[in-house]
Amino acid sequence: ENMTGPDEKDVAREMGAEHENLQAAMSFAVGSDDVDLILELIRYSPHPELQTGHRLQFAESAYRRAGADQQRLFPYAGARAAVEAAVRGDRHVADALCDEAAAAAARLGDDDGLVAELILATRATAAYSLGRFEQAAVQQERAAAISGANERPALEARFLGSAATGYAMAGN
C-alpha cells in the first residue's frame, strides 16, 4: 500500500526481504486461478523502477485469466508486463502491451497515473534501446511529472535522473 508515496523508500527496502514470500503467494494465486489475488500481488509488489538486485518479475500469463480484463487492476498488470518485456529487449511485445494497457486504462481507469507512468517508462526503455536518447528523455520527464503530481518522490527522482542521462547522451 505504501510502495508509492512518502514512505516508498523504506517500504522498498523491507520488500527485498519478502521476495520469496511474494513469489510463493503468486504461485498459489496462479495455481488456484484467483484473479483478484494475482492482480493485487502485481499491483502491490515493488514498483519495477525501484527494484534493485534480484528483480521480482511476473509472467505475462499470470494476469491473463478469464475475467481479469474487467478488473480495476488489469491495466496496471498489463503495464507491468510491458515493462518486463522491454527489460528483456522484446520491443514489439512491449509496445503491444503498452497499447493494450492504455486501452484498458481508458476503459477501467488509471490508478493515480501509475499505468501512464509505466507506459512512458516502457516507451523510454524502447527509445534508449534504439539510440533515440532525446525521445527517451522526454518520456522519462513525462513519467516524472506524473510521479511528482502523485507524491511519489523516489520515482520522480529516478525518472528525472534518467531524463538527464538521456539528454546528456543526446548531446543536450
Side-chain angles (χ1 to χ4, degrees):
E1 185 172 302
N2 294 325
M3 276 306 299
T4 53
D7 300 323
E8 64 191 40
K9 288 190 319 188
D10 295 331
V11 175
R13 273 190 228 98
E14 293 170 15
M15 291 304 291
E18 295 298 327
H19 191 271
E20 288 181 24
N21 290 336
L22 285 168
Q23 287 181 318
M26 181 57 82
S27 292
F28 171 80
V30 169
S32 60
D33 206 30
D34 187 336
V35 173
D36 291 331
L37 182 57
I38 290 167
L39 295 176
E40 292 274 334
L41 286 168
I42 292 171
R43 168 57 187 90
Y44 295 107
S45 65
H47 193 286
E49 296 294 329
L50 296 177
Q51 292 186 45
T52 59
H54 186 65
R55 290 172 45 94
L56 184 62
Q57 299 178 0
F58 301 108
E60 181 184 338
S61 60
Y63 79 96
R64 294 211 180 266
R65 299 281 192 256
D69 61 344
Q70 300 305 312
Q71 301 291 325
R72 178 183 65 83
L73 295 177
F74 180 78
Y76 182 86
R80 277 292 293 263
V83 169
E84 300 305 335
V87 168
R88 340 182 263 277
D90 198 340
R91 289 191 330 266
H92 299 294
V93 169
D95 194 46
L97 289 168
C98 282
D99 291 344
E100 181 182 309
R107 192 177 79 249
L108 298 168
D110 187 353
D111 193 11
D112 293 333
L114 285 169
V115 174
E117 188 179 87
L118 287 175
I119 289 170
L120 289 164
T122 300
R123 298 209 190 276
T125 299
Y128 275 122
S129 74
L130 295 170
R132 298 177 183 155
F133 304 122
E134 187 164 349
Q135 180 183 351
V138 168
Q139 301 293 339
Q140 295 284 9
E141 276 189 308
R142 290 178 181 160
I146 294 170
S147 297
N150 288 284
E151 298 182 19
R152 294 188 287 269
L155 285 169
E156 181 182 22
R158 191 258 181 242
F159 290 129
L160 287 173
S162 292
T165 299
Y167 284 125
M169 292 173 72
N172 296 338

